[in-house]
């Protein structure tokens, strides 16, 4: 290749790159790219009259057309980019398969990197057209080239694009593998989003049960995330969730965990907690991480993040309670969990934060109902006035929380109902999303069951409670029948809960008649009957 041709080619590529990276006026966002395109087109015209050997000249033109294809993509001209990049690939990396393209590109080491670049840019074009499999094949060819020769930042970009492609195709394991390789290559010159990508990789490892590897990724993110930044708070949240997962699955184990992306300086390695003291140490570490994140994500301004952190803290306490067989301490944990979540529920306007409030209400209903079961089964005599009052209070709190959840669910449907007329005879619940139907009916049945539990009530008060419980059960059954008629539900949808509902609908009228005619003391309640039916 003549020295003059090499010099002219380098000058044109450098000038086009300089122009493409220069700032553009807001009114003309592509002005700098158009200027770069003019430089490249002028160089291409010069090559057409070049006296260089034909094979070399074609590859120089292909190099220019690769850059022109990149610009066409950036200025939103994919139809132009397609022609340019296809011609470039036909010269720099021809072939049908990834192996063939890589082999042909590597046959001329001088232009091999250009072949990888053209493959990567063509992949972006096809991925933008939702042809991700086609894009992946081009990227795998580019990766094979990068494995053989030094391509610098291009290899990092290719690995990142491959990770995205596998993610879109649903292969999370391979996506995570390529994401990790990308992050490792970026440790010497980290982009701004490096901590967030490390946190995302940690989240995948948590889902896969690889908690030690997840801890390493999240710890690396914490090492480099700027102080007083959302990224740092997110790293604290992820570390807290890794520790929470370790407490919730005490028998977890990971063979050959991956090394952290960066050397650990703040967060110690993670190992299973075999004893209560080891679990408590993890618990305290998780609390510190969640507390640090909560300082950044305050309720006033960061509602979703703040509520998420508080829910994680509640789960953290619940995980520790499972390791404790002392009912008094378990009840204390329930009180602590309610103290974390109840102020949030009260603070959230249901007209603005309906979804968040409904989630909190359901969780609080579960907390109060669990505390009731623990207290009712405690060592205090069943006739103890303090026990009866405490159980009655927990029962009422649970019912109120479940009722709040039910109201939020229906309230969330109101905007939909205002936009489209409801079918005649349809009930609002029938319009709930499929994932919400189970929780809605389950909460309704739980509230019906709790309403009928008696703790010291007798006479007319007890009778009214039993009637209210029956009324709730009947409504639950009617809702279920309506849903089965309107929605394509599986035959075993809430089978056990609806069986209880049917049994109580048959049983409670007899109890009401007995109480009405014989003025019997109903302090024994329907709890024992329901317990028998559920067993």
């Amino acid at each position: 290749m003549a020295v003059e041709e090499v010099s002219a080619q380098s000058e044109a590529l450098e000038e086009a790159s300089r122009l493409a990276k220069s700032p553009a006026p807001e009114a003309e966002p592509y002005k700098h790219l158009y200027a770069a395109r003019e430089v490249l087109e002028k160089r291409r015209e010069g090559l057409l009259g070049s006296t260089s050997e034909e094979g070399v000249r074609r590859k120089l033109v292909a190099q220019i057309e690769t850059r022109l294809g990149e610009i066409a993509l950036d200025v939103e001209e994919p139809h132009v980019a397609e022609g340019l990049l296809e011609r470039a690939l036909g010269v720099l990396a021809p072939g049908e398969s990834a192996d063939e393209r890589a082999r042909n590109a590597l046959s001329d080491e001088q232009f091999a990197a250009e072949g990888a670049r053209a493959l990567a840019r063509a992949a972006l074009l096809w991925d933008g057209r939702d042809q991700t499999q086609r894009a992946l094949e081009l990227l795998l060819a580019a990766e094979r080239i990068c494995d053989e020769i030094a391509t610098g930042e291009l290899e990092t970009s290719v690995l990142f694009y491959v990770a995205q492609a596998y993610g879109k195709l649903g292969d999370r394991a391979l996506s995570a593998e390529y994401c990790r390789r990308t992050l490792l290559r970026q440790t010497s010159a980290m982009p701004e989003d490096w901590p967030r990508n490390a946190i995302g990789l940690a989240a995948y490892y948590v889902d896969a049960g690889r908690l030690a590897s997840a801890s390493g990724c999240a710890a690396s993110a914490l090492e480099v995330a700027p102080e007083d930044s959302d990224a740092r708070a997110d790293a604290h949240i992820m570390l807290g969730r890794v520790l929470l997962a370790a407490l919730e699955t005490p028998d977890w184990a990971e063979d050959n965990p991956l090394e952290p992306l960066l050397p650990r300086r703040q967060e110690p390695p993670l190992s299973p907690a075999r004893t209560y003291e080891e679990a408590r140490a993890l618990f305290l570490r998780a609390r510190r991480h969640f507390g640090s994140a909560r300082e950044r994500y305050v309720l006033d301004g960061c509602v979703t993040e703040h509520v998420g952190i508080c829910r994680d803290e509640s789960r953290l306490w619940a995980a520790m309670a499972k390791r404790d067989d002392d009912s008094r301490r378990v009840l204390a944990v329930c009180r602590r969990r309610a103290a974390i979540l109840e102020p949030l529920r009260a603070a959230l306007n249901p007209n603005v934060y309906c979804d968040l409030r409904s989630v909190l209400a359901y969780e609080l209903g579960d907390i109060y109902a669990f505390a009731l079961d623990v207290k009712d089964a405690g060592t205090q005599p069943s006739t103890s006035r303090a026990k009866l009052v405490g159980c009655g209070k927990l029962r009422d709190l649970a019912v109120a929380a479940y009722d709040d959840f039910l109201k939020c669910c229906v309230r969330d449907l109101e905007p939909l109902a205002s936009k489209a007329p409801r079918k005649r005879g349809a009930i609002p619940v029938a319009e709930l999303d499929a994932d919400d139907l189970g929780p809605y009916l389950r909460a309704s049945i739980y509230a019906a069951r709790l309403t009928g539990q008696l703790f010291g009530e007798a006479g007319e008060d007890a009778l009214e409670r039993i009637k209210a419980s029956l009324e709730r059960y009947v409504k639950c059954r009617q809702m279920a029948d309506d849903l089965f008629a309107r929605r394509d539900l599986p035959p075993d949808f809430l089978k056990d809960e609806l069986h209880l509902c049917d049994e109580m609908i048959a049983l409670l009228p007899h109890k009401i008649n007995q109480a009405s005619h014989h003025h019997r003391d109903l302090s024994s309640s329907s709890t024992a009957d329901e317990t028998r039916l559920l067993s």
Side-chain angles (χ1 to χ4, degrees), residues 9-19:
Q9 187 84 351
S10 296
E11 288 178 5
L13 293 175
E14 289 175 5
E15 177 63 9
S17 178
R18 184 190 68 79
L19 289 169

Side-chain angles (χ1 to χ4, degrees), residues 354-368:
C354 195
D355 286 344
L356 286 177
R357 180 166 174 139
S358 68
V359 168
L360 291 173
Y362 194 99
E363 289 189 16
L364 282 163
D366 283 351
I367 292 169
Y368 292 132

Side-chain angles (χ1 to χ4, degrees), residues 231-399:
R232 190 168 187 84
D234 291 340
H236 279 298
I237 292 172
M238 181 50 61
L239 281 166
R241 287 177 177 169
V242 172
L243 294 164
L244 171 59
L247 286 171
E248 289 182 330
T249 53
D251 57 346
W252 74 273
E254 181 179 357
D255 296 329
N256 303 316
L258 299 170
E259 289 294 321
L261 300 169
L262 296 171
R264 290 179 183 267
R265 292 195 299 270
Q266 302 179 52
E267 185 70 13
L270 180 65
S271 57
R274 306 298 185 192
T275 67
Y276 185 85
E277 287 305 315
E278 290 174 344
R280 186 173 181 275
L282 296 185
F283 169 82
L284 293 174
R285 281 166 56 187
R287 282 195 72 193
R288 285 195 293 269
H289 285 302
F290 288 138
S292 296
R294 205 170 355 93
E295 290 178 3
R296 175 74 179 180
Y297 290 131
V298 296
L299 182 61
D300 185 11
C302 304
V303 175
T304 301
E305 293 85 355
H306 187 89
V307 169
I309 295 167
C310 291
R311 291 180 64 203
D312 286 336
E313 287 185 293
S314 173
R315 286 174 56 194
L316 191 63
W317 283 98
M320 285 301 292
K322 290 180 180 178
R323 296 172 178 261
D324 201 330
D325 55 6
D326 186 309
S327 61
R328 290 172 298 178
R329 287 197 294 266
V330 172
L331 284 171
V333 167
C334 291
R335 288 193 293 270
R336 173 59 72 92
R337 295 180 66 196
I340 293 172
L341 301 181
E342 196 67 80
L344 295 178
R345 180 170 70 118
L348 296 181
N349 185 335
N351 295 319
V352 180
Y353 298 106
C354 195
D355 286 344
L356 286 177
R357 180 166 174 139
S358 68
V359 168
L360 291 173
Y362 194 99
E363 289 189 16
L364 282 163
D366 283 351
I367 292 169
Y368 292 132
F370 174 71
L372 172 59
D373 290 341
V374 173
K375 190 171 186 63
D376 194 24
T379 57
Q380 281 183 300
S382 59
T383 56
S384 164
R385 181 62 183 168
K387 182 174 183 176
L388 291 173
V389 171
C391 287
K393 183 177 180 180
L394 288 170
R395 173 200 60 201
D396 295 342
L397 287 170
V399 171

Side-chain angles (χ1 to χ4, degrees), residues 35-36 54 64 103 232 296 301 418:
E54 177 63 14
I64 294 297
R103 186 168 56 251
R232 190 168 187 84
R296 175 74 179 180
S418 64

